[in-house]
Amino acid sequence: MQKFMDWLQATVMPPMARIGNNKYLVSIRNGLVLTLPAIISGSVFMILANIPIPVWTHFIKPYVGMMGVAVNASFGIISLLAVIGIGFQLSQELGVDAISGAGLSTMAFILLSFNDKFTLDTANFSSSGLFTAIITAFVSVSIFNFFKKRDIVIKLPAGVPPAVSNSFVALIPGFVILILFWTVRVPLGIDVNQVVQAIFHPLLFAMNTLPGILVYTLLVSLLWVCGIHGDMTLEGIADPIFLQFLTANATALAHHQPLPYNTAMGFSSLFVNVGGTGATITLVLLMLFSKSKTYRDLGRLAFPSALFEINEPVIFGFPLVMNPITMIPFIVVPLVLATGSFLLMSIGWVSAPSAMVPWTMPPIIGPLMATNWDWRAAVWSAVELVIATAAYYPFLKAAEKQMLTDEQKQVTAADQ
């Protein structure tokens, strides 16, 4: 086991850490945060419009179309919000004016959203244009950074207000960006969105398969075991995919069609990592009844945050990091829960996520709301807690035995 841990530390972790700190991936992770208020707000309207209570359904029926406007106005502009957020964040990472970077990225993205008849196709503003938004922001801000770092910009006198001065600094790179993207879309007639979708289709397909989601789940757990925030490290790669899946599911639900994706946003946080990565809320519950005072105290400390999916206190307090005893359930439990959840959704026994709920939503309640009030999702969440508790129990007992020995030694040493 120790050799395996040493191999992880020496071989796997350094490149993964570099990936997690990459400026471009960080900008995706932080930039997509701008989409969350719109998605969660839109999900509230969707959840309210689909509460499965006959009295409520009858009352809300005349207003469903009105509520659909709010859903379309939120889910329908995810890519537009993303290009603004990513352009802003990447500009900050590269040290150029963030507002100008966001504005230039948005201009380029909108230009690429014109169709062959030279009219604006707002359908590209939804999740289907998400990868185009990412690439557009990267190219636009990189061009802006190229001109800025080489001082190929228009400078105004020192007394000019910064907002005006910065707009002129962005003028030359802005013109180059406009010419570049206009040339690609209009004279060359290249539909970048279609090209990007074709390129990323294999990745989209893979992440909605059981092997694909298991590999992702395994990587997240392994990173955490080695002290690296696995979820945050891989968010820049995975979130655009899961977000696109969620929007597609929400659209399908609104049109009363089958949901196309199992692994939409919320699958990992609500169905796999129940109570935090590794389903550690169950370990916290077990610690509350531990014979060890150390573990009981840690359980009381960690429980309030674990209830809302925040498990850093137990991960670093137990600790689970670099701990060969708890490494097994911490890695295996999410894989088992991911497999069970995926299969149940595939055969239609549990609905897939179709609405965004805050990732801090407690178990049972979160899956219920995210799946359009599917009571089976709540039941399955409860079953998952039982499965995870059973898996952690023997490993906690093994750690508890060692902790009790250590506590007894401390008491004996204090008495002498």
Side-chain angles (χ1 to χ4, degrees):
M1 180 65 73
Q2 188 57 46
K3 289 183 178 180
F4 177 68
M5 300 298 290
D6 292 341
W7 176 79
L8 281 177
Q9 283 285 85
T11 307
V12 178
M13 293 308 111
M16 295 304 293
R18 286 194 293 271
I19 290 174
N21 294 323
N22 180 272
K23 291 181 178 180
Y24 290 87
L25 291 182
V26 169
S27 70
I28 295 176
R29 184 180 69 214
N30 295 339
L32 287 178
V33 171
L34 186 63
T35 67
L36 294 184
I39 298 173
I40 294 175
S41 299
S43 295
V44 170
F45 277 84
M46 179 173 291
I47 291 169
L48 290 176
N50 292 279
I51 297 177
I53 300 175
V55 174
W56 177 260
T57 302
H58 178 74
F59 168 76
I60 205 70
K61 186 176 181 179
Y63 309 104
V64 169
M66 298 180 187
M67 300 184 78
V69 172
V71 175
N72 293 332
S74 51
F75 282 93
I77 60 167
I78 287 177
S79 295
L80 185 61
L81 293 174
V83 75
I84 296 170
I86 295 170
F88 185 91
Q89 293 292 337
L90 183 58
S91 297
Q92 287 191 325
E93 291 287 334
L94 298 180
V96 296
D97 182 57
I99 293 295
S100 296
L104 295 177
S105 300
T106 305
M107 174 188 71
F109 176 72
I110 290 177
L111 199 157
L112 292 180
S113 298
F114 279 80
N115 58 28
D116 293 334
K117 297 180 180 179
F118 308 137
T119 57
L120 185 61
D121 185 0
T122 56
N124 291 331
F125 292 177
S126 65
S127 64
S128 62
L130 196 52
F131 288 109
T132 304
I134 294 171
I135 293 172
T136 301
F138 284 1
V139 173
S140 300
V141 175
S142 296
I143 292 174
F144 184 24
N145 183 55
F146 176 88
F147 280 85
K148 180 68 166 56
K149 291 296 186 284
R150 286 159 181 77
D151 210 26
I152 311 175
V153 295
I154 298 174
K155 293 183 178 180
L156 297 182
V160 176
V164 178
S165 179
N166 288 334
S167 66
F168 275 85
V169 168
L171 184 58
I172 293 177
F175 185 72
V176 172
I177 291 169
L178 185 64
I179 289 293
L180 172 64
F181 284 90
W182 174 82
T183 301
V184 170
R185 185 66 194 100
V186 181
L188 297 180
I190 299 174
D191 189 331
V192 175
N193 197 47
Q194 287 186 0
V195 173
V196 170
Q197 286 291 318
I199 293 173
F200 282 93
H201 179 74
L203 181 59
L204 290 170
F205 173 78
M207 290 299 282
N208 193 48
T209 63
L210 183 56
I213 196 62
L214 288 180
V215 169
Y216 171 77
T217 301
L218 177 62
L219 286 175
V220 170
S221 299
L222 285 176
L223 288 169
W224 268 116
V225 165
C226 294
I228 299 174
H229 198 303
D231 303 272
M232 189 173 292
T233 300
L234 298 178
E235 276 178 359
I237 300 172
D239 275 8
I241 299 173
F242 296 145
L243 193 57
Q244 187 166 339
F245 290 171
L246 181 70
T247 305
N249 282 358
T251 302
L253 177 65
H255 292 86
H256 307 288
Q257 298 172 349
L259 306 187
Y261 299 106
N262 293 333
T263 59
M265 185 76 79
F267 179 87
S268 291
S269 60
L270 299 175
F271 289 96
V272 177
N273 297 311
V274 184
T277 304
T280 49
I281 190 174
T282 55
L283 178 60
V284 173
L285 290 171
L286 289 171
M287 285 194 293
L288 291 174
F289 304 97
S290 174
K291 296 178 181 179
S292 165
K293 183 179 183 302
T294 302
Y295 286 150
R296 285 199 308 273
D297 291 343
L298 178 59
R300 295 189 188 101
L301 176 67
F303 179 73
S305 58
L307 186 61
F308 297 98
E309 304 279 334
I310 301 170
N311 64 343
E312 278 81 355
V314 66
I315 283 182
F316 295 103
F318 191 87
L320 300 177
V321 174
M322 301 300 291
N323 189 332
I325 296 178
T326 54
M327 175 183 174
I328 296 174
F330 187 81
I331 293 175
V332 173
V333 168
L335 295 176
V336 171
L337 300 185
T339 301
S341 299
F342 189 92
L343 293 177
L344 287 173
M345 292 176 186
S346 296
I347 62 179
W349 286 11
V350 173
S351 296
S354 56
M356 173 75 85
V357 299
W359 63 269
T360 51
M361 193 65 68
I364 300 177
I365 298 174
L368 177 67
M369 296 177 64
T371 56
N372 190 36
W373 305 104
D374 184 357
W375 62 269
R376 298 169 300 178
V379 172
W380 170 239
S381 181
V383 172
E384 287 183 305
L385 292 175
V386 174
I387 294 172
T389 301
Y392 272 107
Y393 181 78
F395 295 93
L396 173 64
K397 286 301 178 182
E400 181 184 74
K401 183 178 180 181
Q402 180 61 50
M403 182 60 71
L404 288 171
T405 302
D406 293 342
E407 289 175 352
Q408 184 59 46
K409 289 180 180 178
Q410 293 174 7
V411 171
T412 303
D415 291 340
Q416 292 177 348

